[in-house]
């Protein structure tokens, strides 16, 4: 035959195909006309429609057809009873749109009813668009495109409404095509094919909507002109079955989209119209409707098998006599394609590629994105990408150069034409990535101040993976990065330090153990719910530590009562870095920029607890590794961007009140509440005009700032104070 040994073309092998044929499934419990249907997880959900031949009695009941067992069951009824609507399934939920609610079919449901398949429950989504019946609806990239139909007193329209499911919002698309009702549609390669219906007469024309360009065109008219056809697209071919000409029919017309030709398919099933249909694999299911002759209600399930079996259409085997029928790991086949395009290797083999990463095509509005750029999820639509920048929490990958595997090929036309709005984004693997700054092998990589360019990530920042090469300049270069999707969350490098040189604190070890640094400088493990021991003791160290008047310890054990030994902070301890600060309060908690984050000792159990950043709850250390505990980097970043203001003032003692109060208004209004610190600089017997008028105070007064807001704060000075004295103080806000 001229074919190489072991190369088997089996597309004409009779064992690989079965003849196209019609069959029937189990009858539906409630016969209905103009119902809606959707398929999910090999089950067909049929809802709504009319239950009488005059189409005047509507229902909101739900019936479920299990394809595998050929049986029917009922789901929870719900939503607005209607007919002539459409349904779309998306991420485990079925969305029902528009449709008639009165007998004359001149008023239409506007609520979007939503059925949650997993919970068997109903809800509603945002209403919008033009109420209509007899329209077409197609889903693409999370958006539902609703076209044509009859609106008002059933006037044919050619308008387009677009419902964005993730954002639960409506927009108006470009109107086009021939105004009609009772058409049906299918999606192929990013284009919606709308076929058949009534314009005033029954038609067999096709209007095509290109989603990417928002433009309209026409396909080749053909097949039997019919209203209410059941349209399904499979393997590049549009199948039009059943429908109404002057009577209900059971014929099938086939439009080969790529070849732009029509042919006649296999007629069969019960002649009728107003049925609902779905396609599952290579089978079209037409359910219920009206009989062609008597217009009697139908409860039938007609199934058109399109003729393909999921067996090989091509294989390479170790022998030329390998069985061409059922494939198995030990039948000599090394590689094969089945009839629906799936590829297989032998059980002992695998797929080897010189490409080093797995990538998927992602949509973008930024056509300047190129190989090596780091990208984030575009929050405006949730399906596109943008160049990543510093601080992005949605950073997800980098643009690939030569991927070994490619997914999400939605439109071959887009790929073959190098559509600049589609980019290959690496999801996992080794990729050359643009970076700047000092980077060492093993550092996590995140976005920088230059969009699309990476830098070394700080602890807890969202990142795309780890560096495979070193980099040591501010110039933009390309290094290897292992994309691992090691996004923000707990890191084994988290460390809370006290003092300037990390003299004390807490950390997570490389093995994930919670540790503290004792006074000897050693890191030691903290057991879950352990009672505090003498080992957990810090001496005063570092320039930022404060001495107590009665102890040389800043944080340590309160051993005044042996039966009630607790961790004690003898004074508030503060560690500052720029405008960010860490404080251990006298109550035993750890604060970061005035936010309670970190650790504390439970007074009842003496166990160390941490604060969960997601819920704000104090939890046992056993939950630390599964918690999203982190410092609030958003507060920290915003705090750094605020200005620093300082000043001085004085309070006059009247000799009566033991506490002196005064409100200080900031000359500017902060975006966020600033950190305020105070210090007493002296006292004076006369009203001071400048800080130098105040002499040093021998007895230190207690002073603090309270009721701090972004506009002002209150100064508090407590006893002992003397009558007729003026007490000067400085303040700093940042």
């Amino acid at each position: 035959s001229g074919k190489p040994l072991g190369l088997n073309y089996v597309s004409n092998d009779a064992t690989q195909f079965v003849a196209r044929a019609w069959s029937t499934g189990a009858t539906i419990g409630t016969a209905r006309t103009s119902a809606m249907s959707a398929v999910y997880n090999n089950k067909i959900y049929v809802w709504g429609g009319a239950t009488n031949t005059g189409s005047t009695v509507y229902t909101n009941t739900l019936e479920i057809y299990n394809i595998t067992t050929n049986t029917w069951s009922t789901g929870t009824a719900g939503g607005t009873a209607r007919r002539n609507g459409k349904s779309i399934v998306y991420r485990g939920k079925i969305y029902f749109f528009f449709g008639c609610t009165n007998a004359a079919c001149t008023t239409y449901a506007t609520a979007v009813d939503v059925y949650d398949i997993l919970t068997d429950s109903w809800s509603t989504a945002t209403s919008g668009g033009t109420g209509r019946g007899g329209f077409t609806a197609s889903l693409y990239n999370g958006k539902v495109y609703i076209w044509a139909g009859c609106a008002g007193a059933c006037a044919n329209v050619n308008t387009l409404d677009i419902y964005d499911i993730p954002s639960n919002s409506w927009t108006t698309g470009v109107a086009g095509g021939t105004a009609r009702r009772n058409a049906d549609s299918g999606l192929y390669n990013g284009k919606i094919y709308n076929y058949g219906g009534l314009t005033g007469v029954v038609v067999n024309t096709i209007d095509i909507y290109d989603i990417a360009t928002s433009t309209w065109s026409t396909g080749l008219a053909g097949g039997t002109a019919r209203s209410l056809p059941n349209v399904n697209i499979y393997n590049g071919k549009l199948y039009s079955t059943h429908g109404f000409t002057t009577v209900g029919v059971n014929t099938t017309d086939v439009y080969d989209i790529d070849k732009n030709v029509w042919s006649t398919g296999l007629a069969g099933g019960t002649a009728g119209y107003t049925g609902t249909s779905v396609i599952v694999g290579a089978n079209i299911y037409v359910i219920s409707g009206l009989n062609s002759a008597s217009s009697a209600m139908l409860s039938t399930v007609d199934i058109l098998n399109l003729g393909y079996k999921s067996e090989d259409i091509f294989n390479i085997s170790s022998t030329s006599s390998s069985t061409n029928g059922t494939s198995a790991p030990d039948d000599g086949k090394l590689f094969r394609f089945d009839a629906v395009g799936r590829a297989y290797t032998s059980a002992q083999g695998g797929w080897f590629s010189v490409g080093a990463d797995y990538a998927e095509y992602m949509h973008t509005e930024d056509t300047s994105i190129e190989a090596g750029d780091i990208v984030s999820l575009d929050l405006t639509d949730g399906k596109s990408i943008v160049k990543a920048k510093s601080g992005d929490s949605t950073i997800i990958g980098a643009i690939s150069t030569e991927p070994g595997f490619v997914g999400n090929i939605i439109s071959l036309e887009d790929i073959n034409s190098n559509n600049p709005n589609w980019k290959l984004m690496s999801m996992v693997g080794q990729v050359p990535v643009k970076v700047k700054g000092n980077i060492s092998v093993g550092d996590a990589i995140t976005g920088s101040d230059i969009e699309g360019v990476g830098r070394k990530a700080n602890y807890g920042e969202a990142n795309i993976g780890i560096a495979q090469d070193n980099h040591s300049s501010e110039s933009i270069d390309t290094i290897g990065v292992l994309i691992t999707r090691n996004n923000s969350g707990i890191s084994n490098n988290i460390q809370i330090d006290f003092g300037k040189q990390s003299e004390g604190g807490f950390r997570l070890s490389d093995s994930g153990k919670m540790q503290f640094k004792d006074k000897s400088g050693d890191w030691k493990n903290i057991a879950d719910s352990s009672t505090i021991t003498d080992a957990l003791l810090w001496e005063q160290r570092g320039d930022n530590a404060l001495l107590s008047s009665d102890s040389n310890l800043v944080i340590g054990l309160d051993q005044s009562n042996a039966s009630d030994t607790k961790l004690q902070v003898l004074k508030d301890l503060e560690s500052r870095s720029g405008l960010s600060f860490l404080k251990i309060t006298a109550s035993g908690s750890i604060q970061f920029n005035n936010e309670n984050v970190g650790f504390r000792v439970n007074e009842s159990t003496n166990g160390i607890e941490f604060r969960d950043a997601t819920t704000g709850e104090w939890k046992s250390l056993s939950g630390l590794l599964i918690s999203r505990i982190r410092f609030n980097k958003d507060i920290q970043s915003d705090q750094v961007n605020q200005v620093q203001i300082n000043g001085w003032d004085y309070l006059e003692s009247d000799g009566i009140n033991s506490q002196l109060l005064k409100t200080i208004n900031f000359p500017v209004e902060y975006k966020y509440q600033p950190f305020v610190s105070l210090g007493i600089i002296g006292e004076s017997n006369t009203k001071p005009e400048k800080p130098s008028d105040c002499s040093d105070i021998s007895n230190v007064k207690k002073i603090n700032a309270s009721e701090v807001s972004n506009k002002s704060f209150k100064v508090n000075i407590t006893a002992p104070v003397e009558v007729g004295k003026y007490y000067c103080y400085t303040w700093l806000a940042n």
Side-chain angles (χ1 to χ4, degrees), residues 276-352:
T276 182
S277 72
V278 296
I279 186 166
V280 184
N283 294 288
I284 296 174
Y285 294 78
V286 181
I287 302 170
S288 205
L290 292 172
N291 179 275
S292 62
S294 62
S295 292
M297 300 292 295
L298 296 174
S299 58
T300 53
V301 176
D302 291 320
I303 307 170
L304 171 58
N305 186 306
L306 297 175
Y308 297 100
K309 289 176 64 178
S310 293
E311 298 291 350
D312 301 358
I313 60 171
F314 170 83
N315 67 56
I316 300 174
S317 63
S318 57
T319 64
S320 60
S321 59
S322 174
T323 303
N324 292 331
T326 302
S327 298
D330 58 353
D331 67 357
K333 294 180 181 179
L334 304 177
F335 178 77
R336 64 188 180 90
F337 277 105
D338 68 14
V340 294
R342 294 172 297 195
Y344 301 84
T345 63
S346 68
Q348 295 77 27
W351 190 275
F352 293 81

Side-chain angles (χ1 to χ4, degrees), residues 417-564:
S417 64
N418 293 318
N419 187 330
N421 292 110
W422 289 91
K423 307 292 182 180
L424 269 174
M425 185 192 75
S426 178
M427 308 287 287
V428 65
Q430 304 175 64
V431 181
V433 173
K434 297 176 184 177
V435 297
K436 60 179 292 236
N438 293 324
I439 296 172
S440 300
V441 172
D443 285 341
I445 303 300
T446 190
S448 70
D449 55 351
I450 300 177
E451 291 187 349
V453 178
R455 62 165 171 83
K456 175 183 175 180
N458 296 317
Y459 297 142
E461 283 189 299
N463 60 81
I464 61 170
I466 57 176
Q468 297 176 291
D469 300 305
N470 297 317
H471 190 266
S472 58
S473 72
E474 287 301 310
S475 63
I476 299 174
D477 300 297
T478 299
I479 67 169
V481 173
L482 178 60
I483 308 292
T484 60
R485 294 293 297 115
N486 182 22
N487 218 310
S488 61
I490 197 159
S491 165
N492 285 351
N493 294 314
I494 289 178
Q495 185 169 317
I496 307 172
D497 295 327
F498 309 144
K500 279 188 175 179
Q501 290 81 37
S502 305
E503 295 91 349
F506 294 98
R507 76 173 186 183
L508 284 179
S509 71
D510 291 338
S511 61
K513 298 291 186 181
M514 190 66 201
Q515 296 181 321
F516 69 94
K517 183 182 283 188
D518 71 2
K519 63 179 179 180
S520 67
D522 296 329
W523 288 101
K524 297 184 178 180
N525 291 341
I526 299 177
D528 175 36
S529 298
S530 61
T531 300
I532 303 304
T533 67
D534 287 340
L536 189 59
L537 187 68
W538 283 276
E539 294 179 355
Q540 183 273 328
R541 305 179 182 199
D543 296 339
N544 291 327
L546 301 177
L547 282 173
S548 169
S549 60
D550 56 356
S551 172
N552 65 347
L553 297 179
V554 177
I555 180 172
L557 282 175
D558 174 13
Q559 296 180 316
S560 60
N561 185 340
S563 64
D564 188 25

Side-chain angles (χ1 to χ4, degrees), residues 582-597:
L582 175 71
K583 178 187 288 186
I584 304 177
T585 70
S587 63
S589 65
I590 297 178
Q591 293 183 341
F592 188 72
N593 284 359
N594 286 331
E595 287 272 320
N596 275 327
V597 298

Side-chain angles (χ1 to χ4, degrees), residues 610-684:
F610 73 95
R611 184 174 184 268
D612 189 308
T614 304
T615 65
E617 298 175 322
W618 290 98
K619 296 181 177 179
S620 168
L621 281 180
S622 62
L624 180 62
L625 294 182
I626 60 172
S627 170
R628 293 177 57 198
I629 182 172
R630 61 179 176 81
F631 289 145
N632 192 323
K633 59 180 180 294
D634 300 324
I635 293 177
Q636 181 183 10
S637 174
D638 290 331
Q639 199 79 30
V640 170
N641 292 332
Q642 298 201 96
V643 298
Q644 185 179 87
I645 304 173
N646 55 61
W648 80 280
D649 210 324
Y650 62 89
L651 286 172
E652 180 180 2
S653 172
D654 57 9
I656 299 174
N657 297 307
S658 61
Q659 183 175 16
L660 307 182
L661 298 173
K662 186 171 185 178
T663 298
I664 299 293
N665 295 311
F666 297 128
V668 298
E669 182 175 327
Y670 283 99
K671 181 178 180 182
Y672 297 96
Q673 176 180 312
F675 168 73
V676 175
S677 61
L678 300 176
I680 290 182
I681 60 173
E683 62 183 18
S684 174

